[in-house]
């Protein structure tokens, strides 16, 4: 909880990446979270990643920790990490099973106890997937 609160109050990479090669907008109407993800990818690797927007502490912390975890990673690995993260939050995987791939992102495991908050925690991730896929339509959790 402390890690989530810290990232919620002082998010990392909360900025626009000016020379982004990909970007997408996401919205969680239920909670009111809005986010824009900016990615600069080259040679199949996330070189720079940032986000802007407003949302609840879980949404903001998830975006912040996602940007820290994915910078420098191959795009394909980012998708694997998202799948593991989503499986952890939905209860399809346990913490021990997810540990090697998720690292610090495991702190979100408690969110699965609050199903309505899973959408808050995964909004940035779905928006990132949309950005990497080059989709122009805004992502929504509804």
């Amino acid at each position: 909880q402390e890690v989530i609160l810290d990232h919620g109050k002082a998010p990392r990479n909360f900025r626009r990446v000016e020379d982004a090669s990909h970007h997408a907008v996401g919205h969680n109407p239920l909670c009111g979270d809005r986010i824009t993800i900016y990615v600069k990818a080259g040679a199949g690797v996330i070189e720079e990643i940032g986000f802007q927007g407003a949302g609840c502490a879980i949404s903001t912390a998830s975006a912040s920790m996602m940007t820290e975890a994915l910078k420098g990673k191959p795009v394909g690995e980012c998708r694997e990490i998202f799948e593991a993260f989503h499986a952890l939050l939905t209860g399809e995987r346990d913490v021990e099973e997810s540990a090697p791939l998720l690292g610090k992102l495991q702190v979100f495991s408690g969110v699965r106890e609050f199903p309505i908050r899973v959408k808050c925690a995964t909004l940035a991730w779905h928006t990132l997937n949309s950005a990497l896929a080059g989709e122009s339509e805004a992502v929504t959790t509804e």
Side-chain angles (χ1 to χ4, degrees), residues 37-104:
I37 300 287
Y38 303 96
V39 179
K40 180 180 177 185
V45 173
I46 304 285
E47 295 175 356
E48 290 292 330
I49 184 169
F51 74 100
Q52 290 182 319
C56 68
I58 292 171
S59 176
T60 301
S62 180
S64 175
M65 291 183 71
M66 177 189 77
T67 62
E68 283 196 320
L70 300 184
K71 187 175 178 180
K73 298 266 196 250
V75 171
E77 188 175 332
C78 294
R79 289 190 180 103
E80 288 177 41
I81 294 170
F82 165 69
E83 289 171 12
F85 184 74
H86 192 266
L88 177 70
L89 268 61
T90 57
E92 296 170 28
R93 278 192 185 172
D94 60 27
V95 176
E96 293 78 27
E97 190 179 2
S98 304
L101 199 53
L102 294 181
K104 292 179 185 178

Side-chain angles (χ1 to χ4, degrees), residues 2-136:
E2 287 179 33
V3 173
I4 292 173
L5 290 174
D6 178 47
H7 278 266
K9 290 178 183 175
R12 282 53 151 194
N13 301 304
F14 188 81
R15 61 184 169 76
R16 180 184 181 116
V17 175
E18 293 301 327
D19 55 349
S21 56
H22 303 78
H23 76 278
V25 174
H27 179 229
N28 176 359
L30 202 59
C31 194
D33 306 321
R34 292 189 174 275
I35 191 168
T36 303
I37 300 287
Y38 303 96
V39 179
K40 180 180 177 185
V45 173
I46 304 285
E47 295 175 356
E48 290 292 330
I49 184 169
F51 74 100
Q52 290 182 319
C56 68
I58 292 171
S59 176
T60 301
S62 180
S64 175
M65 291 183 71
M66 177 189 77
T67 62
E68 283 196 320
L70 300 184
K71 187 175 178 180
K73 298 266 196 250
V75 171
E77 188 175 332
C78 294
R79 289 190 180 103
E80 288 177 41
I81 294 170
F82 165 69
E83 289 171 12
F85 184 74
H86 192 266
L88 177 70
L89 268 61
T90 57
E92 296 170 28
R93 278 192 185 172
D94 60 27
V95 176
E96 293 78 27
E97 190 179 2
S98 304
L101 199 53
L102 294 181
K104 292 179 185 178
L105 293 167
Q106 296 174 80
V107 299
F108 287 95
S109 64
V111 171
R112 74 173 124 199
E113 302 299 322
F114 307 95
I116 199 92
R117 298 311 225 162
V118 170
K119 291 179 179 183
C120 301
T122 59
L123 176 63
W125 294 84
H126 287 294
T127 306
L128 172 68
N129 282 344
S130 179
L132 293 174
E135 297 170 0
S136 58

